[in-house]
Amino acid sequence: MPAKIIDGKAFAATVRAQVADHVAKLEGDHGITPGLAVVLVGEDPASQVYVRSKGKQTVEVGMKSVEHKLAADTSEADLLKVIDDLNNNTEIHGILVQLPLPKHLDEDLVINSIAPEKDVDGFHISNVGLLGTGQKSMVPCTPLGCLMMLRDHHGSLSGMDAVVIGRSNIVGKPMAQLLLGDSCTVTIAHSRTKDLPDVVRRADIVVAAVGRPEMVPGDWIKPGATVIDVGINRLDAPEKGEGKTKLVGDVRYESCAAVAGAITPVPGGVGPMTIACLLANTVTACCRANGLPEPEGLTA
Ligand code: NDP
């Protein structure tokens, strides 16, 4: 039987609708509008696209969107001042500093200067610690989106064998923590893992977050397993015409889909969920800041 395609685009639309409902309720019942500030340093074209998209979707769900676009040579002190002002701004409930930052800026220092309760990317060391100890935190958006799709597909994940390929701080590690939190037996694989195909073959859930185009073939996948492909890799696509490109994930879609029980496509899988979860985190942060009940189903 062909794998069920987990439609991240449709799921993200549902999440955005839930966020919009909650935003309208906050506005109507309490006169509060959640606010998200995005800080962009420099002119990286991909970052500019992301920031534009985040701003557009923030406004579409009824939230306030603020963008700070700073020059590439902005000093650390000036950037920290912008963040400090946002930390103290009661109309702003979420702050996101678009990564990567120019080389002269210390990314860890900058991220850890965001007030943890406004850290809607979930990268602040306090949120990392809270997640690792199973406490209420801000959860990184991409792994949160993966978890939501897995819960939606499976209901309970308890007792399932999960393999996360990749151990980055923004995807692999928090993904593993979330799966552990849902009582999976979790293996984190990385570039030094021995016998990776055998490790992956044991998994009921495979999350690929490697950054290597189509690295995982179908014969690594246990029949019926769920495959979540986080990878976003742009490849030349001369077959589509001169200078054309295409996006592929970290798994070989056709061969994995032939074996898996369910799979996320690229594009249209994990990608759209990431911004939807950013909006979800912002509304959650706003509720927490105001001592109001959090929206159900939008947090880990
Ligand atoms: P990183 O480069 O930070 O981490 C990649 C991880 O993959 C590392 O832990 C690395 O291991 C591991 N790895 C590399 N090569 C191999 C290999 N041959 N076998 C096993 N493991 C390997 O990437 P990110 O976590 O930031 O991103 C991963 C992918 O997800 C990228 O394609 C990125 O574009 C995408 N992404 C997508 C998002 C979305 O919204 N859908 C959001 C964020 C990322 P080691 O630690 O040993 O070097």
Side-chain angles (χ1 to χ4, degrees), residues 108 111-119 122-140 288:
D108 287 339
I111 296 304
N112 289 325
S113 72
I114 299 171
E117 64 278 11
K118 295 191 180 189
D119 165 41
F123 297 158
H124 190 289
I125 192 70
S126 297
N127 284 315
V128 175
L130 290 167
L131 179 62
T133 49
Q135 299 179 69
K136 194 185 265 193
S137 65
M138 278 288 139
V139 178
R288 289 181 188 169

Side-chain angles (χ1 to χ4, degrees), residues 142 166-168 170 190-191 209-212 215 230-232 270-271 274:
T142 300
R167 56 174 163 178
S168 73
I170 62 168
H190 46 77
S191 65
V210 191
R212 288 183 181 264
M215 189 189 87
V230 181
I232 301 179
V270 175
T274 297

Side-chain angles (χ1 to χ4, degrees), residues 50 142 165-172 188-193 196 208-212 215 220 229-233 248-250 269-275:
Y50 287 137
T142 300
I165 318 175
R167 56 174 163 178
S168 73
N169 290 335
I170 62 168
V171 189
I188 307 178
H190 46 77
S191 65
R192 307 293 176 89
T193 297
L196 183 61
V210 191
R212 288 183 181 264
M215 189 189 87
W220 291 15
D229 191 352
V230 181
I232 301 179
N233 309 287
V248 299
D250 288 343
V270 175
M273 286 298 287
T274 297
I275 298 186

Side-chain angles (χ1 to χ4, degrees), residues 24-38:
K25 207 160 157 277
L26 283 170
E27 184 80 56
D29 295 353
H30 306 280
I32 299 168
T33 308
L36 172 64
V38 178

